[in-house]
Amino acid sequence: MRRLPAEHRGAFRAPFGRLFPSIDEARACIRNGMILSVGDVVTHNLISGGLQPAVAVVDGYTERHVPIPLPRIPGSRTIRVRNPAGYLTDELIAAVRDALASPPTTIEVHGEEDLAVVPLALAAPDGAVLVYGQPGRGVVVTRIDPQQRRRAELLFALFEEAEPGHIL
């Protein structure tokens, strides 16, 4: 399990890709390639807009506190994991790898899913399109390539090893 120290949280505020006001405006960048989504609203909007993710990571909340119905990729299998806010559990990282190896898969997170962008970017094949919401700003879209994977490695390096202890 890895924990993101408070002093490194600012590194995650900058979009990990190109910021668009909406899914509709990002559609042309999303169409080609394996689609990976993080977040309930983004996943719902992709599916309702006819863009089916190969992997979706959701937690049943929007903006961390407002419960919403869990979106599921039609015909997908579901993997359920625990991942507290500010952490990347081994369970979540393993689920991401499993999901990428056998899509379509919806990963339901008990806890917080927003940092799943990092293991997805690390494990996704070149050409995959990663989509996630930037609260109050829109949707971020990035195409995975060696440069983005290196950026994800740098972000992952900001985490520190942590014992699971009482947090789960």
Side-chain angles (χ1 to χ4, degrees), residues 30-49:
I30 298 171
R31 287 182 197 245
N32 301 320
M34 172 189 272
I35 300 170
L36 313 171
S37 64
V38 176
D40 298 69
V41 173
V42 165
T43 300
H44 170 78
N45 289 341
L46 285 167
I47 293 167
S48 65

Side-chain angles (χ1 to χ4, degrees), residues 50-75:
L51 297 168
Q52 182 166 311
V55 176
V57 186
V58 296
D59 67 0
Y61 291 87
T62 183
E63 306 221 2
R64 294 198 178 174
H65 304 291
V66 181
I68 62 173
L70 276 166
R72 285 198 175 79
I73 304 167

Side-chain angles (χ1 to χ4, degrees), residues 6-166:
E7 65 265 20
H8 295 307
R9 290 186 184 152
F12 289 82
R13 289 192 183 100
F16 187 80
R18 185 171 168 199
L19 179 64
F20 293 88
S22 70
I23 292 280
D24 288 337
E25 293 181 53
R27 184 178 277 286
C29 294
I30 298 171
R31 287 182 197 245
N32 301 320
M34 172 189 272
I35 300 170
L36 313 171
S37 64
V38 176
D40 298 69
V41 173
V42 165
T43 300
H44 170 78
N45 289 341
L46 285 167
I47 293 167
S48 65
L51 297 168
Q52 182 166 311
V55 176
V57 186
V58 296
D59 67 0
Y61 291 87
T62 183
E63 306 221 2
R64 294 198 178 174
H65 304 291
V66 181
I68 62 173
L70 276 166
R72 285 198 175 79
I73 304 167
S76 73
R77 67 189 174 112
T78 301
I79 300 173
R80 290 177 180 85
V81 300
R82 291 176 178 258
N83 193 80
Y87 286 80
L88 284 174
T89 60
D90 297 337
E91 187 179 7
L92 175 60
I93 292 168
V96 163
R97 289 182 184 134
D98 183 11
L100 287 166
S102 186
T105 302
T106 301
I107 300 173
E108 290 181 12
V109 177
H110 176 72
E112 180 60 53
E113 93 286 29
D114 60 347
L115 294 174
V117 168
V118 175
L120 273 168
L122 288 171
D126 283 351
V129 179
L130 180 55
V131 184
Y132 70 93
Q134 187 86 5
R137 296 185 63 201
V139 62
V140 177
V141 178
T142 191
R143 189 162 301 273
I144 302 302
D145 61 18
Q147 180 181 351
Q148 287 299 80
R149 193 168 293 106
R150 177 67 183 136
R151 188 169 172 206
E153 288 170 355
L154 294 171
L155 289 172
F156 189 74
L158 297 175
F159 287 79
E160 61 188 22
E161 287 292 331
E163 291 297 322
H166 66 280

